[in-house]
Amino acid sequence: NFRKVKRVHDVVETFSKINKEIKSKLLLIGDGPELQDAKEQIKSLGIEDNVLFLGKQDKVNTFYQMSDITLLLSEKESFGLVLLEAMLTGVLPIGTNAGGIKEVIKDGITGYTVDVGDTDLASKRAIDLLTDSELYNKMQQAMIQDVKERFSSKVIADQYENCYINMLGD
C-alpha cells in the first residue's frame, strides 16, 4: 500500500544501502498515491535495475517464498499482518517500533525492529542477516516456532473463546 504512513521512501532508502553491499533485488507489491514518488526516488538513486514493481497482487505467498527478508517501515501500523504472512513462509522481518509491529516481531529473536526513519540501522540489520547464515537460520527457527506458538488459528480461537466466556461469566 503506497501511502505516506507506510514510508515507502524509507524502504527504498534502506534497500539502496543494502544493495551497495549485497547484490539484491527489491520486490514492491501494491499500488497507491506514493507509487510515482517511489519510482522517482528509485531512479534518482540509480537502482531501477534492481527494483521490481509488481503492482497489486492477490496471492503474495509466491513472492514471500522468493524473499529472504521483508521490510515494513511504517510510521503507524495497527498489527502488521503482512509481517505475519511473510513470517509464516519463513521470511525474516525488519520493521519499525510503530504500533502493532513490535507485538509481532521479538526484536533480535524473531526479526528486528528499528525506530521510524532509521534506515541506517534497518540496512545494517538486513546486511547482518543476509551475510551470516548461522544468525539467519537461528533467528528463522525461533521465528517459525514463535509464530506457531502465538499466532496459530487454534491459539487465536482459544483466546476468543476465553474472552466470550469471561464476558458471559461462569
Side-chain angles (χ1 to χ4, degrees):
N1 195 337
F2 289 78
R3 295 181 296 128
K4 280 191 187 292
V5 71
K6 298 295 185 177
R7 298 182 65 93
V8 177
H9 63 280
D10 285 350
V11 171
V12 171
E13 188 175 328
T14 297
F15 172 74
S16 179
K17 293 172 184 179
I18 295 166
N19 194 249
K20 286 178 183 169
E21 301 291 324
I22 300 170
K23 184 178 177 182
S24 49
K25 296 283 185 188
L26 175 63
L27 306 178
L28 291 172
I29 300 171
D31 198 358
E34 298 294 308
L35 178 60
Q36 190 57 42
D37 288 346
K39 287 182 177 182
E40 290 171 15
Q41 179 187 13
I42 287 163
K43 187 173 182 177
S44 73
L45 290 168
I47 57 174
E48 58 266 33
D49 290 342
N50 297 311
V51 179
L52 299 170
F53 288 94
L54 302 174
K56 188 173 165 106
Q57 299 287 325
D58 291 326
K59 297 186 179 191
V60 294
N61 278 352
T62 302
F63 302 109
Y64 291 141
Q65 292 168 357
M66 295 192 305
S67 302
D68 296 307
I69 61 170
T70 188
L71 299 170
L72 185 62
L73 303 178
S74 305
E75 65 185 48
K76 293 180 185 175
E77 199 70 48
S78 60
F79 178 69
L81 183 59
V82 68
L83 291 177
L84 190 55
E85 290 172 344
M87 292 165 77
L88 282 168
T89 62
V91 179
L92 285 171
I94 298 174
T96 56
N97 293 320
I101 294 172
K102 62 187 176 287
E103 295 175 30
V104 177
I105 301 172
K106 291 182 177 178
D107 186 46
I109 300 169
T110 65
Y112 288 114
T113 58
V114 300
D115 290 336
V116 173
D118 193 346
T119 61
D120 287 335
L121 185 56
S123 61
K124 181 190 179 319
R125 295 293 195 219
I127 291 166
D128 289 347
L129 287 171
L130 297 170
T131 58
D132 185 340
S133 59
E134 187 176 319
L135 172 66
Y136 188 96
N137 291 333
K138 178 183 174 188
M139 195 172 281
Q140 185 183 49
Q141 290 306 311
M143 176 196 69
I144 290 168
Q145 185 65 34
D146 183 59
V147 167
K148 287 178 184 176
E149 288 174 2
R150 290 195 304 144
F151 299 107
S152 73
S153 56
K154 169 83 171 108
V155 168
I156 301 300
D158 287 349
Q159 289 173 354
Y160 274 107
E161 182 180 9
N162 288 333
C163 282
Y164 289 128
I165 290 169
N166 288 334
M167 285 173 35
L168 295 171
D170 296 325

